[in-house]
Every structure is written in C-alpha cells, then in structure tokens.
Amino acid sequence: MGVRKKSHRRRSAIGRFFVYLILIMIGISMIFPLYWMIRGAFMETSLDVMDVEQFFPNKFDFGNFKEAFESAPFDQYLKNTLYLLVFNVTATVVSCSFVAFGFARINFRHRNKFFAIMLACMMIPGTVMQIPQFVGWVSVGAFDTFAPLTIPSLFGSATYIFMLRQFFMTLPKEYDEAALLDGASYFRIYWNIILPLSKPALLTIGVFTFMGVWNDFFGPLIYLADEANWTLAIGLSNFQGQYASEWHLMMAASCVLVLPLVVIYFFAQRHFIEGIALTGVKG
C-alpha cells in the first residue's frame, strides 16, 4: 500500500508540474505583448522598437510620453471618448436591464417566443449589418456625428440582455410577490429591488461596455470624418503613416491609454468575476 501511495503521489506531482508549466507558458505568451509595448514606449527611435534583438532600451526616454500627447489634440480626443463612454455605458446598462427584467420577471403572452427572436439577433454577424447601417445613417444626415455611436445603445444589446436575464432569474420571485401585495408597480420592483440586488451583473455589463467603447476603432473610423470628433483610438492610429510610423510615440501613447482599463479591472475584479459566474446559473 505504501508503494502504491508513493507512486500515486509521484504521478500527481508530475501531472501538476506539467499543468503549471503549460499555465506559465500561456501566461508568458499573454504578458509578452504588454511587455513589448512598455519596452517600445521608452525607446529613442522607431528603429529601436523594431529591433527584435534589443529586449531592453539602452536609454529610457521618458520624453516620448510628452512628445506623443503634444503632437496631436489628445485633450479633444479624450473629451469625445469620455462623452461616448458616459452615454453608452449608462444607456446600455439601463436599456438592457429594463428589457431583461421584462423577460425574467413578468409573465406576458408569447414571452418565450419574443425572447427566442431576440436570441436570434445574436447569431447575425455584425459585419453583415455594417453596410446597411452606414447607408441608413448617411441617409438621415447622421454621418460625422456621434449619433451612430450612441443611439444604438438606447435599444440594448441581445448578448447583455441575455446575461442579465439569466441573473435576474436567480433572484427569488417572493420579492416581487411581496412588493405587488404592498401595491408596488413593476417599475418600482425593477428600480428599488432588482437593480440594487444585481450590482455584480450590472457592473459586469458596464465594464464590458466600457472596454468596447474605449477600444472601438472601426466605428469611429467609419462615421467620424472631422478630426474634432475623433476618439482616442483614431488619434492613436495617426502615428502610423503610409511611408513612416512613429512606433515609439505610438507605444508611449498606448501605455497611457491602456492604464484606465487596467485600473478599472483591478478595482472591479471581485464584482466582475462574481457577475460572470452568476449570469449563467439558471436557464
């Protein structure tokens, strides 16, 4: 018996070793692009950034950060991005939670059929809708405005509605019944009972939306022509030219632009993971 236990422990130790080794390799592969960006931010020239044999800067050039943000009106880009962030995060959380509340807590005729139709919208690739949407926005005179980048959030997202609906269904129905007996309306139940109990899920949707808007490049590229309306993602791409690219300045600006995402995830990590875990508990 003692020999079997030792053999089993040896096999378990070898198995854990290979598992940890694979996880470490995956971790390094994911961290390496971030390291390469930080490395490039302190390089003196673009040629140094492209030198794959130089893993560390010979001289840390902190002036890249100042030069990067003085070479373009990043303050205006930041204002535009913050406007899109506040509007889209608020509108998405409110609209998606409102629709999800109806699907999860209110029994109405053909509820499941309408929910199935909404789920079918998740199966339509976004690229299929890009040309019709662009033609539609141009026809109503919304090109080079923030309307195409903000108004759709007022109507919710099928994916986020599905996630919130799953979370709302985990909350006891007795809360609704007790509130209805006390004369509360469905809107009051939604606003005063369901939303306060759903902070992890709402925070998850907010973080997802924040990341999507902050990193969105394709949408502003299509709809925004005037430089005064550009976002940070578009301004960052301005460092890359047709014949020459200022990679060291782009890397410096990228480091600063990545920082808010890291900070938000750091402070919201516990609620973020909790929200992800609970949105699929009940079908």
Side-chain angles (χ1 to χ4, degrees):
M1 293 296 293
V3 176
R4 288 184 179 179
K5 287 184 178 180
K6 289 181 180 180
S7 178
H8 178 71
R9 291 175 181 175
R10 188 180 299 109
R11 287 197 299 268
S12 298
I14 295 174
R16 286 196 300 270
F17 171 77
F18 282 106
V19 169
Y20 291 150
L21 181 62
I22 293 173
L23 292 176
I24 290 173
M25 293 174 63
I26 294 175
I28 292 175
S29 65
M30 297 180 68
I31 294 175
F32 186 78
L34 180 62
Y35 153 74
W36 202 256
M37 178 184 66
I38 297 175
R39 160 196 171 274
F42 294 99
M43 292 293 187
E44 294 185 273
T45 64
S46 297
L47 294 177
D48 294 334
V49 177
M50 304 305 294
D51 186 2
V52 295
E53 296 182 356
Q54 187 176 350
F55 277 84
F56 297 97
N58 295 325
K59 178 183 177 182
F60 286 85
D61 190 354
F62 290 91
N64 289 339
F65 295 91
K66 181 179 180 181
E67 183 179 354
F69 285 93
E70 287 181 349
S71 61
F74 273 93
D75 55 342
Q76 183 62 37
Y77 301 160
L78 179 61
K79 292 178 182 178
N80 297 335
T81 305
L82 290 178
Y83 169 76
L84 294 177
L85 279 173
V86 173
F87 189 98
N88 282 284
V89 171
T90 304
T92 299
V93 171
V94 172
S95 60
C96 291
S97 61
F98 194 77
V99 177
F101 172 80
F103 281 126
R105 315 297 288 193
I106 302 176
N107 292 318
F108 56 91
R109 191 178 181 185
H110 303 305
R111 181 181 68 170
N112 293 334
K113 293 181 180 179
F114 284 117
F115 185 67
I117 293 173
M118 188 208 69
L119 291 181
C121 297
M122 298 171 58
M123 305 176 187
I124 303 176
T127 53
V128 175
M129 303 299 296
Q130 285 173 357
I131 294 179
Q133 288 175 347
F134 180 81
V135 173
W137 286 115
V138 171
S139 64
V140 298
F143 180 72
D144 201 19
T145 67
F146 292 135
L149 304 176
T150 54
I151 292 179
S153 63
L154 295 172
F155 300 92
S157 166
T159 303
Y160 297 157
I161 292 173
F162 171 75
M163 294 176 63
L164 288 174
R165 182 251 188 189
Q166 298 301 102
F167 184 89
F168 291 165
M169 291 184 68
T170 64
L171 303 177
K173 282 289 186 69
E174 287 77 8
Y175 294 153
D176 300 21
E177 296 170 358
L180 290 172
L181 289 176
D182 290 338
S185 63
Y186 277 110
F187 180 80
R188 190 171 183 85
I189 295 173
Y190 158 78
W191 190 260
N192 293 108
I193 298 177
I194 300 300
L195 290 188
L197 295 174
S198 306
K199 291 180 181 179
L202 297 176
L203 184 61
T204 301
I205 301 304
V207 171
F208 277 148
T209 306
F210 182 95
M211 294 173 63
V213 176
W214 186 268
N215 293 322
D216 186 19
F217 173 76
F218 201 59
L221 179 65
I222 293 176
Y223 293 107
L224 302 178
D226 189 357
E227 186 177 0
N229 294 330
W230 283 5
T231 61
L232 289 171
I234 298 297
L236 184 63
S237 67
N238 202 37
F239 290 111
Q240 186 174 359
Q242 182 177 1
Y243 301 105
S245 299
E246 298 176 325
W247 293 109
H248 57 306
L249 300 182
M250 179 184 290
M251 296 296 181
S254 298
C255 286
V256 178
L257 298 186
V258 167
L259 188 60
L261 298 177
V262 176
V263 172
I264 286 179
Y265 182 79
F266 178 79
F267 285 103
Q269 181 179 6
R270 182 173 63 87
H271 297 290
F272 180 76
I273 295 175
E274 182 182 356
I276 290 291
L278 293 177
T279 49
V281 170
K282 186 175 181 179

